[in-house]
Amino acid sequence: MILTVTLNAALDLTYRVPHLVPHASHRVREVTERPGGKGLNVARVLAALGFESTVTGFAGGETGRVLRTLLAADATPPAGSGTAPVTDALVPVAGQTRRTVGVVDESTGDTTQFNEPGPHVTPEEWETFLVAYRELLGGGAVAVALCGSLPPGVPVGAYATLVREARTARVPVLLDTSGEPLRRGLAARPDIIKPNAEELAGITGTAEPLRAARAAQRRGAHAVAASLGADGMLLVTQDGTWSAAVPERLAGNPTGAGDSAVAGLLSGLAEGLPWPDRLARAVALSAATVRSPVAGEFDEPTYATMLPSVRVRQSETP
Amino acid sequence: MILTVTLNAALDLTYRVPHLVPHASHRVREVTERPGGKGLNVARVLAALGFESTVTGFAGGETGRVLRTLLAADATPPAGSGTAPVTDALVPVAGQTRRTVGVVDESTGDTTQFNEPGPHVTPEEWETFLVAYRELLGGGAVAVALCGSLPPGVPVGAYATLVREARTARVPVLLDTSGEPLRRGLAARPDIIKPNAEELAGITGTAEPLRAARAAQRRGAHAVAASLGADGMLLVTQDGTWSAAVPERLAGNPTGAGDSAVAGLLSGLAEGLPWPDRLARAVALSAATVRSPVAGEFDEPTYATMLPSVRVRQSETP
């Protein structure tokens, strides 16, 4: 089982409007609700690839209840679908799970995003979570991904604590967050971090991806997998440095492409694939997510077509 | 008791963001949730003025549950507050009550509004509502306000039916809606309609308020109370025509000003006040709503100051 942690899980709402006009009133044409937060997205991609996963983090209030009801459908995928189950191990909190609202302008396809801050987590709730997390790490997790922002009340060094716990339990740990939580988490020496170019620049002060990735490595990450948008991904490890991209630029919606990349890296790690194959999988899944008509999901035929066409280049010796 | 009908009640969310940037991602600084939909807003203003009210319409799903929980607090106002109770007589539906999201740009104070379409109401649910509505009309209602848009599934002639039922029960009826539901509702001869300038132009094809109000009267409304934004209100009745405004232009948030005007007209009707006094109350309440720091609520000291300063002019003989 692969464990994903989403401390600030969300109920993702998508609103489709004909044109977004600031300071006007809009009738929303279509509303969709789905479980959200990076770790939950990662788990859904893992499930589609056939990897069992367990999701933890916090859920509470009416929105938390809706989130868990939607998640329950993923616990028992249709027989013969090739989809693996996602197990809900979210920890209840008194506060209310946040909503995110993505407003899709149908005239341009662009999305304007509004993210609520999330519930206030008490010190007691954080301690309860830590106990549950240790049990999950000891309960057969082959890898763990720590994903996304921190809700109010959770200590800013939370990811450093969770990375250390994973390393103590000898479970490989991937960290996908930004800002101060990433900076602090790095010091605990995660196996992989997966920043985008902006997040990487934010913690290293260097806009040039290779220099920034090396700087992040010096600060504690064993490997840095940086997602560079249309330029693909850059992977800096102790065994070598690789870059990879799909052969042509893709039009589409990048929402969730980073989460699909995390699922690609984790599934490759779980199977013991060499680094270049993990990277190819991450890049192909990202591309198949950009091309999907549904935001945050990946298009399986596109993934099957893309995977053999990804160009992985070893850019220099370590 | 004054009855207000909100067929498309809502859970109103307000998001505060530092700057609204289309196609960007925003961290919402502050989230507020409150019961919404025009008839619920009218009832809250009536309650603050000391008039008992009952709200009906539809509620369903998790958002409906949250809405009713919030409404329950209005059922038992603090003793000695001068606030009257609001009784929840919403009819359950299988679909989910809509959300509205108002995004306040803190740099300008402007609001960008997103309104979900609302639950699909089945013919059986509509019939159940009609039975409940008849009982409420016969159960001591001194006036009824029919407010807002129709959810999917409700017949476009719904307000015509509800106006006729009220007239049969000899309960004065105010209609506050727009477009085709207003056009159809007019034919059933409501006692008062309260369109804004745009809604009035939409059904009459005339942008000049007095001509448009007279046209709406010819189509069936006994009285037309048109809200004209900063220009105050115009009232065309069979007893005379009046216009009223506050002495100075007010800066603020116009959200809910129309609903406060409806509460002013209804409360004046319930007390048997002459038309000019009803109009003055509507205008003062609107102004006190524009000036309120909380969107959709009215500022009581402003109302007390404004009421004697409203200038009502009889513009011509009927």
Side-chain angles (χ1 to χ4, degrees):
Chain A
M1 166 274 277
I2 297 173
L3 180 63
T4 75
V5 174
T6 316
L7 295 176
N8 211 357
L11 181 64
D12 282 349
L13 308 182
T14 304
Y15 286 175
R16 300 187 76 84
V17 300
H19 296 274
L20 175 67
V21 183
H23 310 148
S25 185
H26 303 75
R27 289 190 185 209
V28 175
R29 268 222 262 255
E30 194 189 302
V31 182
T32 55
E33 286 187 354
R34 44 179 282 162
K38 284 168 179 281
L40 272 70
N41 298 338
V42 170
R44 230 169 8 242
V45 175
L46 287 170
L49 294 171
F51 291 85
E52 278 187 39
S53 60
T54 296
V55 295
T56 189
F58 296 108
E62 293 289 333
T63 47
R65 193 195 318 238
V66 174
L67 171 68
R68 300 188 83 163
T69 303
L70 294 170
L71 256 185
D74 296 330
T76 50
S81 65
T83 300
V86 176
T87 302
D88 173 358
L90 292 164
V91 171
V93 277
Q96 166 154 294
T97 293
R98 69 190 172 129
R99 283 164 290 231
T100 73
V101 177
V103 179
V104 179
D105 180 330
E106 292 181 326
S107 68
T108 63
D110 285 320
T111 298
T112 306
Q113 189 72 34
F114 302 99
N115 299 332
E116 295 186 7
H120 186 90
V121 174
T122 66
E124 294 69 29
E125 288 166 340
W126 174 241
E127 287 303 321
T128 304
F129 171 78
L130 283 177
V131 172
Y133 175 68
R134 276 181 212 118
E135 277 178 17
L136 289 163
L137 286 174
V142 298
V144 57
L146 309 175
C147 303
S149 63
L150 301 179
V154 166
V156 69
Y159 282 135
T161 306
L162 300 187
V163 167
R164 272 186 221 105
E165 293 280 351
R167 294 183 60 78
T168 303
R170 298 187 182 280
V171 176
V173 54
L174 182 151
L175 177 60
D176 183 12
T177 187
S178 60
E180 194 59 26
L182 173 56
R183 205 186 308 268
R184 303 271 189 115
L186 266 183
R189 316 217 66 210
D191 294 278
I192 314 176
I193 63 168
K194 196 226 60 64
N196 60 31
E198 194 186 338
E199 289 160 353
L200 197 53
I203 54 160
T204 62
T206 309
E208 198 282 302
L210 183 59
R211 280 178 56 197
R214 293 218 179 282
Q217 214 182 14
R218 281 194 300 275
R219 292 178 190 205
H222 287 90
V224 178
S227 48
L228 308 175
D231 293 332
M233 292 184 75
L234 170 69
L235 175 64
V236 174
T237 76
Q238 287 161 331
D239 305 322
T241 295
W242 293 269
S243 60
V246 291
E248 55 199 287
R249 286 182 100 84
L250 299 173
N253 184 346
T255 303
D259 302 330
S260 292
V262 169
L265 293 167
L266 279 179
S267 64
L269 186 158
E271 285 188 334
L273 296 184
W275 279 114
D277 295 347
R278 297 186 202 175
L279 185 61
R281 194 176 269 188
V283 168
L285 278 170
S286 282
T289 303
V290 171
R291 296 285 283 177
S292 167
V294 181
E297 294 188 3
F298 77 97
D299 186 66
E300 299 201 28
T302 304
Y303 173 57
T305 313
M306 286 288 172
L307 187 57
S309 78
V310 174
R311 295 180 189 155
V312 181
R313 274 183 287 209
Q314 183 150 24
S315 46
E316 53 183 299
T317 48
Chain B
M1 158 279 268
I2 297 174
L3 180 63
T4 75
V5 174
T6 315
L7 295 175
N8 211 358
L11 181 64
D12 282 349
L13 308 180
T14 304
Y15 286 176
R16 300 188 76 85
V17 301
H19 295 274
L20 173 67
V21 183
H23 311 146
S25 186
H26 304 75
R27 290 193 184 206
V28 176
R29 267 220 263 254
E30 193 189 304
V31 182
T32 54
E33 287 188 353
R34 47 180 278 161
K38 285 168 179 282
L40 272 70
N41 298 339
V42 170
R44 239 182 346 253
V45 176
L46 286 170
L49 293 173
F51 291 84
E52 277 188 39
S53 61
T54 296
V55 295
T56 188
F58 296 109
E62 294 288 335
T63 46
R65 192 193 321 240
V66 174
L67 171 67
R68 300 188 83 162
T69 304
L70 294 170
L71 256 185
D74 296 329
T76 50
S81 65
T83 301
V86 176
T87 302
D88 174 358
L90 292 162
V91 172
V93 278
Q96 167 153 294
T97 293
R98 68 188 174 128
R99 283 165 288 231
T100 73
V101 178
V103 179
V104 178
D105 181 328
E106 293 181 327
S107 68
T108 63
D110 285 321
T111 299
T112 306
Q113 189 70 34
F114 302 99
N115 298 332
E116 295 187 6
H120 186 90
V121 174
T122 66
E124 293 70 30
E125 288 166 341
W126 174 241
E127 288 303 322
T128 303
F129 170 78
L130 283 178
V131 172
Y133 175 67
R134 277 182 213 118
E135 278 177 17
L136 289 164
L137 286 176
V142 298
V144 56
L146 309 174
C147 302
S149 64
L150 301 178
V154 167
V156 70
Y159 282 133
T161 305
L162 301 187
V163 168
R164 271 185 222 106
E165 293 280 353
R167 294 183 60 77
T168 302
R170 298 184 182 279
V171 177
V173 55
L174 182 151
L175 177 60
D176 183 13
T177 186
S178 59
E180 194 57 25
L182 173 55
R183 205 185 309 268
R184 303 272 190 117
L186 266 185
R189 316 216 66 208
D191 294 278
I192 313 175
I193 64 169
K194 197 226 55 65
N196 59 32
E198 194 186 338
E199 289 160 353
L200 196 54
I203 54 159
T204 61
T206 309
E208 199 282 302
L210 183 59
R211 280 179 55 196
R214 294 222 177 279
Q217 215 182 12
R218 280 194 299 276
R219 292 180 189 203
H222 287 89
V224 178
S227 48
L228 307 175
D231 294 332
M233 292 184 76
L234 170 69
L235 175 64
V236 175
T237 76
Q238 287 161 330
D239 306 322
T241 295
W242 293 269
S243 62
V246 290
E248 55 198 289
R249 288 182 97 85
L250 299 173
N253 185 345
T255 304
D259 303 330
S260 293
V262 169
L265 293 167
L266 279 178
S267 64
L269 187 156
E271 286 189 335
L273 296 184
W275 280 115
D277 294 347
R278 297 187 202 174
L279 185 62
R281 197 178 268 187
V283 167
L285 279 169
S286 281
T289 304
V290 170
R291 297 283 286 176
S292 166
V294 180
E297 295 186 4
F298 77 97
D299 186 65
E300 299 201 29
T302 304
Y303 172 58
T305 312
M306 286 287 170
L307 187 58
S309 77
V310 174
R311 295 180 190 157
V312 182
R313 274 182 286 208
Q314 183 152 20
S315 43
E316 52 183 302
T317 49

